[in-house]
Structures are given as C-alpha cells and as structure tokens.
Amino acid sequence: MSVFVKEGSSYASISVLLLSHFVFSLMFILPACIVDKSFRFKLKSPSLTIGRIVFGGFSMLVFFYNLSVMPLATALLFLNTSPIFIPLLLYALFRKAINLKMLYSASIGLFGLALILHPNLEFNYYLFLGVLNGMLSAMAFVFLRQASQKDSATSIVFYYFVICSLVTLCFTAHELTTMTEKALWYSIAVGFTAAVFQYSLTKAMRYMPSNIVAAILFIEVPFAAIIGWWLWGEKLGLDFLIGACFILIGSLLIYNLSSKQKLN
C-alpha cells in the first residue's frame, strides 16, 4: 500500500488516496460486522471510541503525507515508533503502572529515535511530522485498548472506518469528478492493498502471538529501504540504520512484555 500512496501522490491528492483506504477497508469489515455476534451499534463508551477515531484518522493522514515527502523506509519507521510511546501514554492518560523492564525497553527505542533525529536547536519540520505520526498512532492504540475493554473491537473499527470515510469524503467530494485515469487506478490500488493488509493482519492476529506479528510487520522497513532505493534512488545514512535497530529492539521488547502481562 505504501508504495502506491507514495507514487500515487503525484497524480491524486492525499485526501483522495486516504478516502480510498478508508472506503475499501470499510467494505472489508462489513461482513465481519454481520457475522460477529458481539457487534453492537450502541457503544458503552463512545468517548473512548471517538478518541480512537480522531487520533487514528489524523495518524493515517500524517502517515500518507509523510509517504509523499519522505523516503519510504523513513516514513514507515516513524509509524513503527508507536510502541515506544504506548507505555508512557498509558501512564500519563490512564495511570497504568509501568514496570522497570517496560520503561527500559521504551528508553532503548527513544535512544534509537534520538540517533535519527539528531536533536539540536534547529526545528526540522519533517522530523517533527515523523515523531508526530508515531505519537498519534500510539494515542490511537491506547484509546483502542481502553475502548475494547467495554465494546467489541468490530464495533470500534466499524465506526472508525465509517466516520473517517464520511469526514474525508466531505473534503474530497469536489475532486472526485475531476480525477484523471492514473489517479483513479492509484486510488483503487491503495484501497485494495489496504483491504488485503487488514485481512492478512486479522488472520495473523488470530493464529499468532502479537509479539511475533509485530516482528514480522517490522520487516517492512528494510524491504521499504530496498524498494525506495530501487524505484526512487533513496539512500539512508548509517545513523538511520543504527537508530532503526534500537527502535526495533525496544519495540519488540515492549510487545514481548505486553504479551507476558496478558498471559499472566
């Protein structure tokens, strides 16, 4: 999907590509809503679901924009920094306790992020967007985790895609009638691959531990680096590679600790 978003942003606006992502994903989730007996239109905790929708929607918007202006691997790496923020946000917002192992794991990831950012007194707009993407994604996960304790995941995801589709449509309706053929095909490609990803992720989460799934998902970063170099001649520095390794280690440690807490 990310490759189509990056290439398609030259022919279609980010909002149009985002609309396709939401609509196709909604089409995928509808059969699950019909089959899932726990699905309810009435939510027990609408405020938490709204939080998931707002932060999740903005996270995808920033991610799509980052794909259009950053190297492919860089945009995906920033999106994958969300696990290192999750324990900190859970404590800050919901006073969920953080053990020392979790804090240590988050620190490893933050150190890797610092290597990539090169913190100094100069403001870097693109690096700011990258960190923002990771934090928004983490916020979306935190609200999803809290909301899923009261409402079914299917209900939460249903409202997420419905509301995001409608809101995005309001901003893109005037563009749909003037789309070029290339813009249309790239939009369809983004939506279709997004739906395939949702289906694959759902199946993987059903049969595999979350920490293993997270490790597999992180493989997309080195693959993105290869594809970015092959298609657009994108080159990544040594500091990026070292920082990415620290972020990967920190994220996987957090996923592993979270899985053990669930088992206990």
Side-chain angles (χ1 to χ4, degrees):
M1 181 192 76
S2 301
V3 172
F4 290 118
V5 172
K6 186 172 183 64
E7 187 67 21
S9 62
S10 301
Y11 306 97
S13 68
I14 295 300
S15 56
V16 168
L17 297 174
L18 194 61
L19 175 63
S20 181
H21 162 71
F22 288 137
V23 170
F24 273 79
S25 298
L26 175 61
M27 292 168 61
F28 161 75
I29 198 67
L30 283 177
C33 296
I34 298 173
V35 175
D36 189 357
K37 295 181 179 180
S38 64
F39 174 79
R40 298 289 185 277
F41 283 107
K42 186 177 181 180
L43 298 172
K44 297 178 181 178
S45 182
S47 59
L48 291 175
T49 300
I50 290 173
R52 192 283 188 256
I53 293 169
V54 171
F55 288 109
F58 275 110
S59 173
M60 290 306 301
L61 175 61
V62 175
F63 175 55
F64 272 41
Y65 177 76
N66 287 350
L67 285 170
S68 68
V69 298
M70 293 181 184
L72 184 65
T74 304
L76 283 167
L77 178 65
F78 277 127
L79 180 66
N80 280 283
T81 59
S82 59
I84 64 180
F85 295 112
I86 290 172
L88 306 176
L89 291 172
L90 280 170
Y91 175 77
L93 297 175
F94 301 101
R95 288 295 181 265
K96 297 290 184 179
I98 307 177
N99 58 45
L100 289 177
K101 289 184 179 180
M102 191 75 76
L103 190 60
Y104 174 70
S105 301
S107 300
I108 293 175
L110 290 173
F111 176 73
L113 187 59
L115 288 177
I116 296 173
L117 295 179
H118 299 296
N120 51 47
L121 297 177
E122 295 182 3
F123 176 77
N124 188 308
Y125 174 70
Y126 296 110
L127 294 180
F128 166 76
L129 286 177
V131 176
L132 178 64
N133 192 194
M135 294 189 69
L136 286 172
S137 180
M139 287 288 289
F141 179 85
V142 166
F143 275 94
L144 174 61
R145 176 175 172 175
Q146 296 301 115
S148 61
Q149 295 177 7
K150 299 182 179 181
D151 294 296
S152 72
T154 309
S155 300
I156 298 168
V157 173
F158 168 77
Y159 278 108
Y160 169 69
F161 285 125
V162 166
I163 294 177
C164 285
S165 296
L166 292 175
V167 171
T168 310
L169 180 61
C170 293
F171 290 96
T172 59
H174 65 285
E175 299 181 48
L176 299 180
T177 56
T178 58
M179 289 179 63
T180 64
E181 185 177 348
K182 276 193 173 182
L184 176 62
W185 282 113
Y186 273 113
S187 298
I188 292 174
V190 168
F192 176 76
T193 50
V196 171
F197 172 77
Q198 291 289 339
Y199 176 80
S200 303
L201 183 61
T202 302
K203 286 292 185 181
M205 292 297 290
R206 180 176 297 179
Y207 298 109
M208 299 172 65
S210 59
N211 56 331
I212 301 299
V213 175
I216 294 173
L217 287 176
F218 222 101
I219 295 176
E220 68 183 357
V221 176
F223 273 111
I226 296 171
I227 294 172
W229 169 79
W230 179 42
L231 293 179
W232 301 288
E234 297 172 347
K235 297 180 180 179
L236 304 173
L238 182 62
D239 51 352
F240 176 90
L241 298 176
I242 297 175
C245 290
F246 277 100
I247 292 172
L248 170 62
I249 293 170
S251 299
L252 293 181
L253 286 173
I254 289 172
Y255 276 118
N256 190 50
L257 290 170
S258 298
S259 297
K260 288 181 178 179
Q261 287 179 0
K262 288 179 181 178
L263 289 174
N264 294 333

